[in-house]
Amino acid sequence: MFKELAKSIREYKKVSIATPILEGLEVAMECIIPFIIANLVNEIKAGCTLGVIVRYGGLLVVMAALSLLFGALAGSTCATASCGLAKNLRKDLFYSIQSYSFENIDKFLASSLVTRMTTDVTNVQNAYMMLIRTAIRAPLMLVFAFVMAFLMGGRMAWIFLLVLPLLAVGLGLVIYKTMPLFKKVFKKYDRLNGSIQENVKAMRVVKAFVREDYEQNKFDAAAEEVCADFTRAERILALNGPMMQFCIYTVMVFVLSFGSYTIITSRGLDLDVGQFSALLTYSFMMLNSLMMLSMVFVMILMADESGKRIVEVLTETSTLTNPEHPLYDVADGSVSFEHVSFKYSPQAERMALEDIDLHIRPGETIGIIGGTGSSKSSLIQLIPRLYDVTEGVVRVGGADVRDYDLKTLRNQVAVVLQKNVLFSGTIRENLRWGNPDATDEELVQACRLACADEFISQLPAGYDTYIEQGGANVSGGQKQRLCIARALLKKPKILILDDSTSAVDTKTDARIRKAMREYIPETTKIIIAQRTASVEDADRIVVMDGGRLHAIGTHTELLANNAIYREIYTSQNKAGDSIGA
């Protein structure tokens, strides 16, 4: 885990190394100051001159100034390193997610990925900040203070070592008890974020069904679970501080009692006042060091589970990768399914698609129709290689899709999915997803072909109208037409419309199909639809049922010979009597 997280340090290695060095220098200055003060006390006790006092005072000022300088520089480099690590981690996580196939994405909930990129990264950032500064400062301070205490107090300093086994046992018990709790609480964090995300996304539905109270109760239950687990973990961690304070103050009582007794009985021969004051100062330094170590320990304990969750995303490898020598040219828009079978998971009991044998010529318009759950969308997702086939071969332009460079293949296959997605930004920016270099004239032409220009021109800001996240401020039909225009701008060899005109009226649907025939005649067009009207003028229509090809033919042929197609057409057109006649 540490090795994987360390890869994200990159350009912040220098400041990460500089921080502990500067911190070490700061600690050295702080530990020498009590030693100088002890000597000054002894000099004053011996009746030194003012010049000696001034010399010692000047030295102390310089040491304090250097300690301040080193501390300030360490704080600056530490902040730069920890924030830089967090930035790189979020970038690496985002890039990893971008490289995932749909199969990889299915392993992680969207809310879980958001939690990992926010809360988990923040935990790791805080732990890293403590590791390169506080976790260096505290042990160094502890060691330096003990050495100096041993030099100043002799045998009395050994008392500090006696409490270490007790502290080690206490910390071990805390780790044993809290680790399982933190593992559980982050999973519940995911569910909590999932509840928030789902509620905000479906706010219109929640209000339409007056389910605010139900959603509030669901959120309250999730929040209570997170609070309860965190409270249990924090209660155990809270024992850390009192345990350390008890040990160190017990030592302090011993030092004060035994030190005072030694000074009085030996009349300053075994231990003088200067040494005793320095010993007390070093005792407080050790106390502070142990308290800081306690905080570091708590932070690392919390960050450990966060780090594992981050690494889980970073080390997840895409199930779809480029071949060793990929093809960078798609010859044409031909598509062939050669005895293709497919299932979404190796553990799935049944195939989503079974023995599909279909050959589509370049420039041909293919309609795909079938009942809900007949795997129409599963079929077309194999063309741009969003998933890999389980059995058989899918060919585009005569070559196996697995032989292509992924970007090359997907640049030639434009897909308007069933769930239309627009991104926050202007209409113009959304359209240029299809072609970043498209001119304004090309944008307008694509929108006219998709029948989108008619509503864009009525908007006050036209093509500069801002689209809210997810296209919340446009209707379903307007969203579909913008997505079609975006796909047309790619001028692909294959255009797939997955039920992407379901929210527009039949007249507009017909106009869009006519425009596509005239504007991109050489592009292979695959249209998945629920309405027979959307596919009846296609060159061929594929009827699917239960993940299999049930029939292939023209509208007229299927109406005469296929019961499924005839039933769909009859139910939609209420023309059963005339068909029977």
Side-chain angles (χ1 to χ4, degrees), residues 498-513:
D498 185 358
D499 203 17
S500 52
T501 56
S502 58
V504 301
D505 58 85
T506 52
K507 182 181 177 182
T508 304
D509 186 12
R511 285 169 57 198
I512 293 170
R513 285 184 281 113

Side-chain angles (χ1 to χ4, degrees), residues 313-330:
V313 176
L314 292 175
T315 54
E316 177 77 15
T317 54
S318 176
T319 55
L320 302 180
T321 55
N322 274 347
E324 189 176 349
H325 302 290
L327 300 175
Y328 290 98
D329 181 56
V330 180

Side-chain angles (χ1 to χ4, degrees), residues 364-368 513 517 525 527 532-542 553-555:
E364 193 173 12
T365 299
I366 297 294
I368 302 178
R513 285 184 281 113
R517 281 197 304 271
K525 294 166 281 292
I527 303 168
T532 56
S534 298
V535 297
E536 61 185 17
D537 58 351
D539 297 320
R540 287 184 294 161
I541 300 170
V542 175
T554 63
H555 170 69

Side-chain angles (χ1 to χ4, degrees), residues 468-483:
E468 301 293 341
Q469 187 178 19
N473 58 333
V474 291
S475 70
Q478 291 170 340
K479 193 188 296 184
Q480 285 186 339
R481 284 178 277 174
L482 286 172
C483 290

Side-chain angles (χ1 to χ4, degrees), residues 277-328:
S277 65
L279 189 61
L280 285 176
T281 304
Y282 290 128
S283 299
F284 280 113
M285 283 184 175
M286 282 185 268
L287 169 63
N288 288 330
S289 299
L290 286 171
M291 293 306 297
M292 283 191 286
L293 279 174
S294 175
M295 289 189 293
V296 171
F297 166 74
V298 171
M299 196 63 246
I300 291 175
L301 204 58
M302 289 180 64
D304 180 67
E305 186 60 31
S306 291
K308 288 175 183 174
R309 285 158 52 84
I310 290 169
V311 169
E312 191 180 0
V313 176
L314 292 175
T315 54
E316 177 77 15
T317 54
S318 176
T319 55
L320 302 180
T321 55
N322 274 347
E324 189 176 349
H325 302 290
L327 300 175
Y328 290 98

Side-chain angles (χ1 to χ4, degrees), residues 559-560 566 569-570 574-581:
L559 207 56
R566 187 164 55 246
Y569 180 85
T570 303
K574 297 181 180 178
D577 294 340
S578 60
I579 290 173

